Amino acid sequence: MPRAGLDRATVIAAASELADEVGFAGLTMGLLAERVGVRTPSLYKHVDSLDALQRGIGLQAVRDIGAILTRAAVGRSGPDAVRAIAETYRKWALDHPGRYAASVRAPRPEDEEYQAVAYESVQILFDAVAGFGLTDERAIDAVRALRTVIHGFAGLESTDAFQMERDPADSYRFVIDMLINGMRAEAAISGPDTAPLHAGEGPWPRLPTLRTASTQPPGCGS
């Protein structure tokens, strides 16, 4: 039976759940139509194309990630915030593989809404790293390293790439702690005479300056 009250938000939510089940690459309009109980052409009343559907899944996924990371980091800073964010991100990625795959697609330069949401998500990482007292340039390096570790590990783990008997969760915590120790060491080397980055400050303002075709915010897709 057709689902009552079908709208764009409902379609995106159903597609997100389906993507977790069949894989982001395996999602089709036909499968989604079957899931929500309508004929495939009826979906185009709510989304223009498969690309628009994928964009909607990714946008909502990034919003969801931002929300859970914000909650994870509340009341924490420095190492505690980084660990909480890293653990939360990994769990979410493993629980929502299709949505996670959608979230790591780079937004198009002209998509200002997506750019703004992605930028705010990255800002959470900058706020966490701020607790180490790193210089502005090193804070950017640290956030890029953190994103690389989180996404690289989650991407490999989600495809069962870790076949040795060692629990991936233990390896993940080890890698995150190595990164934290590196940030601590860098802050100690930089010394008190350098200008540290504080939450909400630095070369990325709290309200994002959206990238154009030739510019992009630090750490956001770069």
Side-chain angles (χ1 to χ4, degrees):
M1 293 292 292
R3 182 174 294 181
L6 194 66
D7 57 19
R8 189 176 188 281
T10 305
V11 169
I12 295 299
S16 298
E17 294 177 359
L18 186 57
D20 287 338
E21 297 173 17
V22 304
F24 184 63
L27 179 66
T28 66
M29 298 293 276
L31 286 175
L32 179 58
E34 183 179 347
R35 169 61 60 91
V36 299
V38 299
R39 293 169 60 86
T40 301
S42 298
L43 289 177
Y44 293 98
K45 299 176 182 177
H46 309 290
V47 288
D48 295 336
S49 62
L50 178 60
D51 183 68
L53 179 67
Q54 293 173 335
R55 183 257 186 195
I57 297 171
L59 179 60
Q60 187 57 49
V62 174
R63 283 198 179 105
D64 291 344
I65 290 169
I68 64 170
L69 294 188
T70 296
R71 290 195 296 270
V74 167
R76 296 183 170 94
S77 65
D80 288 343
V82 169
R83 290 190 183 99
I85 286 172
E87 291 290 346
T88 300
Y89 213 138
R90 172 178 172 266
K91 183 179 186 306
W92 188 91
L94 292 177
D95 289 344
H96 305 93
R99 276 172 264 200
Y100 173 71
S103 74
V104 297
R105 296 203 320 169
R108 293 176 178 174
E110 69 275 10
D111 192 340
E112 295 187 357
E113 180 185 16
Y114 205 138
Q115 289 284 347
V117 172
Y119 193 61
E120 285 299 306
S121 181
V122 173
Q123 178 69 56
I124 298 167
L125 303 185
F126 278 113
D127 290 347
V129 168
F132 290 90
L134 297 166
T135 62
D136 290 351
E137 290 183 351
R138 285 294 180 247
I140 295 174
D141 294 339
V143 167
R144 285 176 172 168
L146 181 58
R147 294 181 72 205
T148 298
V149 166
I150 291 173
H151 291 302
F153 202 100
L156 288 169
E157 188 174 10
S158 65
T159 57
D160 294 323
F162 299 134
Q163 294 297 312
M164 296 182 182
E165 292 185 3
R166 173 77 168 165
D167 189 340
D170 293 331
S171 297
Y172 186 67
R173 284 190 288 269
F174 173 74
V175 173
I176 294 298
D177 280 344
M178 284 183 64
L179 186 58
I180 287 171
N181 289 335
M183 286 188 274
R184 282 173 166 160
E186 177 58 34
I189 292 171
S190 299
D193 295 333
T194 56
L197 174 71
H198 299 288
E201 298 178 358
W204 44 92
R206 171 62 65 181
L207 295 178
T209 300
L210 301 177
R211 76 177 184 180
T212 64
S214 58
T215 62
Q216 58 184 336
C220 188
S222 61

